[in-house]
């Protein structure tokens, strides 16, 4: 189907799943598609194009205030997805469908549905996520919460495009909660190379067409940036 129809289908499915109360729902995080009526897309952050074998980033899980039960977003790191139909990704979703923020780590081999971990995540926790292509179509997805002291690693296979690498925030519902201080990514490297040295492109994410989340300039360390709403 067309990109427009596909993103509307994803958003509708995500919204329908919000009826699950108190736990992260099975909203699909995935390929970057532009919205039907918004200037931005459903991703925001930095993407670099090419056949990368590793992508890694860290962030402090932000404190949020739910403004709607439709609010849903996730910072994540991944390979593929911008201009391709597969994504290998892992991150932390914040789900407001219960009326309060519920944080849950996950991985996804898009277009398959995400798989959520039961490990506790809280605002203020330091998260590190890495996706590694270990063979032509085999990936290891690692995520750790160094504040809580847990880590998860899984190896999965997917016939993929090897098209890009990225550090991203995403809302399948185009509805972000109020996020204190924005979202700062640190230690962003693709193939072990600082983000700034991989010819990255910045992406804006829309928020119901009313606001835009934009990446800052990359920091002097070449590895950091902050997503803020304006």
């Amino acid at each position: 189907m067309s990109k427009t129809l596909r993103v509307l289908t994803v958003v509708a499915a995500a919204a329908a799943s919000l009826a699950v109360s108190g736990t992260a729902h099975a909203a699909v995080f995935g390929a970057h598609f532009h919205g039907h009526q918004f200037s931005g897309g459903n991703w925001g952050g930095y993407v670099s194009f090419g056949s990368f074998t590793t992508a890694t980033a860290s962030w402090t899980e932000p404190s949020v205030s739910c403004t709607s039960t439709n609010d849903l977003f996730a910072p994540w790191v991944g390979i593929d997805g911008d201009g391709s139909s597969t994504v290998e990704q892992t991150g932390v979703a914040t789900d407001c469908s219960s009326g309060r923020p519920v944080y849950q780590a996950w991985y996804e081999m898009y277009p398959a549905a995400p798989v959520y971990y039961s490990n506790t995540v809280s605002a203020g926790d330091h998260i590190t996520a890495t996706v590694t292509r270990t063979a032509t179509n085999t990936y290891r997805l690692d995520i750790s919460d160094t504040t809580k002291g847990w880590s998860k690693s899984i190896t999965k296979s997917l016939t993929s495009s090897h098209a890009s690498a990225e550090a991203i925030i995403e809302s399948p519902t185009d509805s972000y909660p109020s996020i204190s201080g924005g979202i700062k990514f640190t230690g962003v490297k693709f193939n072990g190379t600082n983000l700034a040295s991989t010819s990255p492109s910045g992406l804006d994410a829309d928020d119901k067409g009313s606001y835009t989340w934009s990446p800052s300039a990359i920091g002097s360390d070449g590895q950091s940036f902050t997503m803020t709403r304006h």
Side-chain angles (χ1 to χ4, degrees), residues 7 11 29-47 72-76 82 167-177 179 183 185 201-216 225-230:
V7 72
V11 170
F29 298 88
H32 176 225
F33 299 108
H34 288 285
H36 178 60
Q37 57 182 325
F38 308 130
S39 60
N42 60 334
W43 286 16
Y46 278 99
V47 58
L72 167 70
F73 93 102
W76 56 263
D82 197 332
I168 294 295
I169 66 168
E170 179 184 357
S171 174
T173 58
D174 281 308
S175 182
Y176 285 83
I179 302 173
I183 306 101
F185 287 89
S201 298
L203 295 173
D204 291 342
D206 63 69
D207 188 351
K208 295 182 181 176
S210 299
Y211 300 96
T212 300
W213 289 87
S214 298
S216 68
F225 67 93
T226 301
M227 297 295 298
T228 55
R229 193 175 80 165
H230 58 86

Side-chain angles (χ1 to χ4, degrees), residues 133-217:
R133 176 156 57 92
T134 58
T136 301
N137 290 311
T138 303
Y139 293 85
R140 189 179 73 242
L141 302 104
D142 299 288
I143 189 165
S144 63
D145 183 328
T146 56
T147 304
K148 292 286 194 301
W150 61 259
S151 61
K152 288 290 186 180
S153 180
I154 192 164
T155 298
K156 304 292 288 185
S157 295
L158 179 67
T159 301
S160 51
S161 302
H162 310 160
S164 61
E166 51 274 329
I168 294 295
I169 66 168
E170 179 184 357
S171 174
T173 58
D174 281 308
S175 182
Y176 285 83
S178 176
I179 302 173
S180 177
I183 306 101
K184 182 175 183 180
F185 287 89
T186 61
V188 184
K189 293 185 177 183
F190 303 148
N191 281 6
T193 300
N194 287 352
L195 171 66
S197 300
T198 60
S199 301
S201 298
L203 295 173
D204 291 342
D206 63 69
D207 188 351
K208 295 182 181 176
S210 299
Y211 300 96
T212 300
W213 289 87
S214 298
S216 68

Side-chain angles (χ1 to χ4, degrees), residues 85-101:
S85 59
T86 60
V87 198
E88 305 80 46
Q89 55 192 143
T90 187
V92 176
T94 299
D95 171 19
C96 288
S97 61
S98 65
R100 62 181 180 85

Side-chain angles (χ1 to χ4, degrees), residues 97-121:
S97 61
S98 65
R100 62 181 180 85
V102 175
Y103 301 89
Q104 201 162 7
W106 55 275
Y107 75 87
E108 183 174 354
M109 302 293 285
Y110 182 86
V115 176
Y116 289 93
Y117 295 116
S118 60
N119 304 73
T120 301
V121 181

